[in-house]
Amino acid sequence: MPLIKDPVTDLLKQVLGFANLRQDVIASNIANANTPGYKAFDLVLRSSMGAPANLEPIRSSPRHMSMDATPSNPSGAHVERSREPGRLDGNNVNLDEELMKMLKNRVNYQAAMEFYDRWGKLKQVARHVK
């Protein structure tokens, strides 16, 4: 355990955790793009980061993966069902929209990882400067 709490590292870990969880949600939507009756959902940030995190999507089938298999939610985010109109089979996944979300999420993840890496190197340099 570090002697001095580093809020930047903690924030970056939350950003990376959010991006990982959101990637799982997007992948689930894409995987179920042809499942009749499937409703898309997304992981969104709460309006207040201090609010208790409760990540519980609605399971419309007992065969769906439970959220117990997902890592803890460090980001203060929650799952939100899409209100987009569905196709005739009841599915409302828009593949173009999901792919755009995936690309944006990837860019955010890469930026946070790059900053995390540079922050770690900067801290190492600061320790050796006298």
Side-chain angles (χ1 to χ4, degrees):
M1 183 168 161
L3 295 175
I4 300 173
K5 190 166 175 76
D6 180 6
V8 174
T9 301
D10 291 344
L11 177 64
L12 288 170
K13 286 179 181 178
Q14 287 184 352
V15 170
L16 292 170
F18 174 80
N20 280 331
L21 290 173
R22 189 162 192 234
Q23 182 67 23
D24 291 343
V25 171
I26 294 168
S28 177
N29 288 341
I30 291 171
N32 287 291
N34 292 322
T35 303
Y38 181 83
K39 302 295 182 199
F41 54 98
D42 196 4
L43 190 65
V44 294
L45 289 175
R46 292 185 184 278
S47 59
S48 169
M49 289 299 284
N54 186 12
L55 185 64
E56 296 179 28
I58 298 169
R59 291 175 65 192
S60 58
S61 168
R63 296 183 302 168
H64 289 166
M65 181 175 74
S66 73
M67 290 311 290
D68 296 336
T70 305
S72 63
N73 177 18
S75 61
H78 68 281
V79 172
E80 189 174 276
R81 284 282 175 187
S82 171
R83 291 188 175 91
E84 293 295 319
R87 301 185 301 256
L88 292 177
D89 65 357
N91 187 310
N92 72 345
V93 175
N94 180 337
L95 283 178
D96 291 334
E97 184 178 315
E98 296 301 320
L99 291 173
M100 287 303 296
K101 285 181 195 176
M102 184 183 292
L103 289 172
K104 288 178 183 178
N105 193 54
R106 180 180 175 190
V107 168
N108 290 340
Y109 183 87
Q110 287 176 330
M113 265 316 279
E114 182 69 26
F115 190 75
Y116 184 79
D117 183 51
R118 290 181 186 204
W119 180 250
K121 290 176 182 174
L122 183 62
K123 288 191 322 185
Q124 286 178 351
V125 169
R127 282 187 204 120
H128 298 295
V129 174
K130 293 181 182 181

